Amino acid sequence: SIYFSTLAPKLSFDFIRKIQRNYGMKKIVILTGAGISAESGLGTFRDEGGLWAKHRIEDVATPEAFARDPALVHRFYNTRRAQAVQAQPNAAHLALARLEAGFDGDVLIITQNVDDLHDRAGSRNVVQMHGALTGALCQVCGFRWKAPMEMRPSDTCPACKKQTTRPDIVWFGEVPYGMSVIDPALASADIFASIGTSGQVYPAAAYAQHARRMGARTVELNLEPSANARDFDQRFLGPASEIVPRWVD
Ligand code: BV8
């Protein structure tokens, strides 16, 4: 028992992480926001002329807004769905896909974006925590399916046939997707990178601080320092299509 007690303190979390690190079992967790898709032509939210300059969040991105005026909310997402289909992944999306393909460890992308540009760039390990423009959801039976380009309030659910379909988007006040994957990933990340997000929407805006507290090195790649800039050990400023490939390659 003496032997065990002297050994036990060493088998601490840090010691195990050091073993992992020495054997190269590195984990990189990357949070992306609207800024990574800006150079693909998709609007951001809080920049000059952004989406929230044209629409109030309360009118288009809450369950109450959808209950009040589903046609308006569908128009908002139908417009963005059409833009997202036209958009192409840019050099930043492609660089992250290269990183995942060539890295001898885990790379997880947690995106706040509802476009599918990470998937189309070739990234496979992606969590769309705020939902997807390509998704439709039934409010009654919970069935999820590929959204038509134009969603309408009269659309019926393929499973329960009721007129209760909505965009498969996480609105304010709703629980984000993927928490069971995100929480353990933040706890075991060696590197946490935040790309193209203003750091103003929770719980995503708290991820850098949490990952750092759990031992990760944190880095921010953005056009300008975000609202949670203090949470980062390193910062690279500039357009994502320029700074992300440099960071990856
Ligand atoms: C939750 C829908 C509980 C999808 C979005 C009080 C009352 C009620 C709630 C709250 C409250 N206080 C806090 C909350 C929680 C609330 C919240 O955070 N509110 C904020 C406004 C204070 N959050 C929620 O309600 C979330 N749910 O908390 O549930 C819970 C939590 C945990 C566990 C269990 C339960 C749900 C949040 C999701 C809301 N849905 N949108 C859509 O329509 O797209 S959020 C919306 O903001 C988008 O999803 C977007 O992704 C997200 C974040 O925006 P960014 O991506 O950062 O975009 P932004 O324009 O802000 O910034 C762009 C950045 O890019 C800038 O920094 C810019 O400089 C940079 N940039 C621009 N161009 C480039 C560039 N960078 C590089 N290169 C470029 N070229």
Side-chain angles (χ1 to χ4, degrees):
S1 65
I2 295 172
Y3 171 74
F4 182 76
S5 62
T6 51
L7 179 67
K10 289 195 179 64
L11 284 183
S12 69
F13 188 63
D14 281 346
F15 182 72
I16 291 169
R17 283 170 64 78
K18 277 197 184 71
I19 292 177
Q20 274 186 346
R21 198 165 292 144
N22 293 343
Y23 286 91
M25 288 157 58
K26 274 200 179 306
K27 289 194 169 191
I28 302 181
V29 175
I30 300 166
L31 173 71
T32 64
I36 199 170
S37 297
E39 289 160 274
S40 296
L42 298 182
T44 61
F45 292 87
R46 296 168 185 86
D47 288 322
E48 188 79 19
L51 286 165
W52 295 154
K54 299 174 191 126
H55 307 273
R56 286 176 353 120
I57 288 176
E58 298 75 10
D59 294 341
V60 292
T62 66
E64 296 76 15
F66 188 69
R68 189 169 53 245
D69 189 346
L72 169 66
V73 174
H74 274 310
R75 278 200 302 277
F76 177 63
Y77 286 101
N78 289 344
T79 305
R80 290 177 60 200
R81 190 174 297 110
Q83 290 163 346
V85 164
Q86 294 301 321
Q88 294 303 318
N90 64 54
H93 298 104
L94 296 168
L96 295 187
R98 276 202 308 280
L99 173 67
E100 177 184 327
F103 187 69
D104 71 336
D106 290 337
V107 176
L108 172 69
I109 293 177
I110 303 167
T111 186
Q112 300 172 91
N113 298 339
V114 292
D115 63 57
D116 59 350
L117 294 179
H118 283 302
D119 292 350
R120 284 165 52 200
S123 290
R124 288 293 161 265
N125 205 9
V126 181
V127 173
Q128 284 197 278
M129 66 179 292
H130 289 168
L133 285 168
T134 52
L137 170 67
C138 177
Q139 299 182 93
V140 166
C141 73
F143 185 66
R144 294 166 71 191
W145 69 99
K146 185 165 172 19
M149 278 305 289
E150 286 275 313
M151 286 187 82
R152 292 185 182 79
S154 55
D155 289 353
T156 51
C157 165
C160 72
K161 310 298 179 206
K162 291 193 176 65
Q163 287 186 344
T164 50
T165 70
R166 57 167 275 182
D168 190 13
I169 297 285
V170 177
W171 286 321
F172 287 95
E174 296 188 318
V175 177
Y177 283 125
M179 308 308 282
S180 60
V181 171
I182 293 171
D183 291 343
L186 296 174
S188 58
D190 295 290
I191 295 170
F192 177 88
S194 175
I195 302 175
T197 177
S198 63
Q200 298 183 58
V201 174
Y202 290 85
Y207 287 171
Q209 183 189 57
H210 181 60
R212 182 194 244 177
R213 194 177 296 141
M214 300 301 282
R217 281 184 56 73
T218 57
V219 56
E220 175 172 47
L221 297 96
N222 210 47
L223 210 50
E224 62 202 2
S226 59
N228 54 343
R230 66 190 170 290
D231 298 337
F232 297 97
D233 302 310
Q234 249 186 325
R235 173 164 302 106
F236 298 97
L237 295 181
S241 67
E242 287 171 26
I243 59 175
V244 176
R246 277 213 297 271
W247 178 66
V248 164
D249 298 333

